[in-house]
Amino acid sequence: MRVLVLGSGVIGTSTAWYLAQAGAQVIVVDRQPAAAMETSFANAGQISPGYSTPWAAPGMPLKALKWLFEKHAPFALRPDGSGFQLQWLFRMLVQCTAERYAINKTRMLRLADYSRRCLDALRADIGIDYEGRQQGTTQVFRDAAQFEAIGKDTRVLDDLGIAWELLDPAGIARVEPGLDVTGAGLAGALRLPGDQTGDCHLFTGALSQRAGASGVDFRFGHQIRGLIYEGGRIRGAMVDRGAGPERLESDAVVVALGSYSRDWLRPLGIRVPVYPVKGYSLTLPISDRRRAPVSTVMDESHKIAVTRFDDRIRVGGMAELAGFDLRLDARRRATLAFVVGNLYPGAADEASASFWTGLRPMTPDGTPIVGDAGVPGLWLNTGHGTLGWTMACGSGRLLADLIAGRAPEIQADDLGLDRYGGRGRRRPWFTPGPQIGSRHPGGLATPTA
């Protein structure tokens, strides 16, 4: 079987790896010069199955309104002029009930925990190095009411057999000795010992090299012009490296284009509710190891993660709904610097930090879309939001099993596009799409159509 994977972020590359392991002939196409140059480039670095939580939750609409007026708010909304933004927000609001929250969190945790197990097996099998650590996540609460309300989440963790423990301020200091518990005013924490950390860009680059050595054909620097629909099914894609369109035929096509997936599927009548949620990160060299994090600390009030790599600290988070805007906002940098300085004063050199932004592809219910697209030959692996790194290996393995006709190892019938009623209309035509983006000096993508 010949499979074409569109996108070489952590989702596309992981999918390509598992497809190749299943015996498929795989081609990966990406406009960038290497793997993981966009959303996977500088994310927060946390692999957090235990923290897999939908943004759509009871009380979230009121919280979001309050955040709009806070200095260090984790959320911002700027109208992008599209009706889709309003439609997406409405769909998210519908998910903000206790019943939907429990359903969405359960399936997110199921996929994320499976992904952790897949990553563990992959690391043991090929010895891949990505500055990984397996020392858990500590979700800290500055507000006693937040800490006391954690019970609904721990019940779901218990149901799925995910280990957790509650920590008082002394317990927080025990697992994260560099954390300034008193200065930050922490009331307590939820400790998730099974969570991990690692540099997603390093991982994806290393995995793409291993995949290439095992036969996966990476076509970097190729623009995707459109999908080929003939004889009632997808037959491949038209790509262009600058010398004119080239037809790449395949038995199956996987769309792993993150926030850009929606635009490429619309010509087939496939409605994918994936919106670009803008996030930021700050990467700082460690100046005092004694004061640095041990693993990942998640600041629940600011929705910001502070993660330890070998010699660096990655601070990442926040959510802006502003379309495909990739401008760097100095106010967001100030918030990231405030959080790391407040939790770990003196640990890192802020003057030498690098500031980055990327677009996380988010669904209204928080769960990614993994499965067939309702058109023969077309498959989806997109919409992972802030949890692409956490869910990458599990999503890739799951989709590879589905494409190969093997029974998946976890329940997958509630992860597909069916839950949104957006499956495609089988229309026997091919419409070349516009370029999905153009590179600018920062290596990111901006829409051109």
Side-chain angles (χ1 to χ4, degrees):
M1 172 181 282
R2 180 180 168 101
V3 183
L4 183 61
V5 178
L6 306 182
S8 70
V10 69
I11 301 299
T13 300
S14 298
T15 303
W17 169 264
Y18 286 107
L19 281 167
Q21 298 306 299
Q25 179 187 356
V26 184
I27 299 175
V28 179
V29 179
D30 198 295
R31 67 173 177 266
Q32 295 291 356
M37 295 301 293
E38 298 190 30
T39 303
S40 301
F41 184 76
N43 64 20
Q46 58 186 129
I47 305 163
S48 300
Y51 190 72
S52 297
T53 301
W55 281 71
M60 181 56 71
L62 181 58
K63 287 182 181 178
L65 286 174
K66 292 180 178 178
W67 285 334
L68 293 177
F69 303 99
E70 292 182 4
K71 179 180 179 181
H72 294 298
F75 172 78
L77 172 63
R78 294 202 306 275
D80 65 6
S82 73
F84 176 65
Q85 184 189 48
L86 297 176
Q87 181 189 65
W88 189 91
L89 282 167
F90 175 77
R91 282 186 163 186
M92 183 178 179
L93 289 174
V94 170
Q95 299 292 326
C96 293
T97 66
E99 179 183 5
R100 296 307 306 173
Y101 177 85
I103 292 171
N104 295 331
K105 184 174 178 68
T106 296
R107 61 190 180 191
M108 290 172 69
L109 283 168
R110 182 204 317 142
L111 179 58
D113 190 56
Y114 175 61
S115 189
R116 176 189 58 79
R117 287 182 274 127
C118 290
L119 175 60
D120 289 345
L122 177 62
R123 188 174 59 249
D125 288 344
I126 66 175
I128 191 168
D129 181 22
Y130 50 93
E131 297 189 16
R133 291 175 173 236
Q134 295 79 49
Q135 300 185 57
T137 293
T138 304
Q139 181 183 3
V140 297
F141 301 94
R142 298 172 184 266
D143 187 324
Q146 290 177 331
F147 184 49
E148 293 168 0
I150 200 65
K152 64 180 184 298
D153 287 335
T154 58
R155 286 191 292 272
V156 178
L157 295 174
D158 284 336
D159 290 342
L160 293 173
I162 297 175
W164 60 273
E165 61 176 322
L166 295 180
L167 304 175
D168 60 13
I172 299 173
R174 172 176 53 81
V175 299
E176 284 285 345
L179 191 65
D180 187 0
V181 177
T182 302
L186 303 182
L190 173 65
R191 173 75 170 164
L192 301 160
D195 285 4
Q196 305 179 19
T197 64
D199 188 318
C200 183
H201 179 250
L202 290 180
F203 171 85
T204 310
L207 188 61
S208 69
Q209 292 177 0
R210 297 294 184 94
S214 68
V216 176
D217 182 6
F218 283 87
R219 305 282 184 93
F220 293 119
H222 284 65
Q223 289 282 352
I224 305 163
R225 296 301 183 188
L227 300 173
I228 302 171
Y229 188 97
E230 295 175 348
R233 65 175 294 115
I234 294 295
R235 301 288 182 180
M238 299 297 292
V239 303
D240 190 344
R241 197 178 185 180
E246 175 187 358
R247 181 184 175 103
L248 284 182
E249 295 187 356
S250 61
D251 301 299
V253 173
V254 176
V255 176
L257 293 169
S259 297
Y260 299 95
S261 300
R262 174 176 174 267
D263 287 342
W264 279 108
L265 295 166
R266 280 190 298 175
L268 286 172
I270 301 173
R271 298 172 296 279
V272 178
V274 172
Y275 189 85
V277 176
K278 186 178 181 181
Y280 296 86
S281 75
L282 200 61
T283 306
L284 311 92
I286 293 174
S287 55
D288 188 339
R289 292 180 177 273
R290 296 171 302 171
R291 298 183 178 183
V294 171
S295 187
T296 289
V297 166
M298 184 70 198
D299 186 331
E300 180 61 20
S301 295
H302 296 95
K303 302 292 184 183
I304 288 175
V306 181
T307 298
R308 170 72 179 269
F309 295 154
D310 285 355
D311 299 308
R312 298 168 294 149
I313 296 174
R314 173 72 51 75
V315 193
M318 293 176 288
E320 285 187 9
L321 273 63
F324 290 88
D325 178 9
L326 280 162
R327 291 173 295 181
L328 290 167
D329 188 331
R331 294 171 300 175
R332 307 304 173 202
R333 179 187 173 118
T335 295
L336 296 171
F338 163 76
V339 170
V340 69
N342 181 250
L343 295 175
Y344 291 98
D349 179 9
E350 185 191 337
S352 302
S354 58
F355 187 34
W356 174 88
T357 188
L359 303 175
R360 289 86 59 94
M362 184 84 78
T363 62
D365 63 13
T367 308
I369 299 170
V370 185
D372 74 274
V375 174
L378 187 61
W379 301 82
L380 306 178
N381 200 353
T382 188
H384 296 74
T386 60
L387 296 166
W389 183 201
T390 294
M391 296 181 173
C393 288
S395 298
R397 172 62 190 273
L398 173 62
L399 192 62
D401 285 343
L402 291 173
I403 293 173
R406 303 186 303 205
E409 295 180 324
I410 62 169
Q411 179 186 345
D413 58 357
D414 57 353
L415 301 177
L417 188 59
D418 281 349
R419 69 184 191 269
Y420 287 111
R423 294 166 73 88
R425 302 187 299 272
R426 292 167 174 78
R427 300 173 63 179
W429 46 262
F430 160 59
T431 299
Q435 290 186 207
I436 61 174
S438 61
R439 293 178 55 214
H440 65 64
L444 297 172
T446 53
T448 60

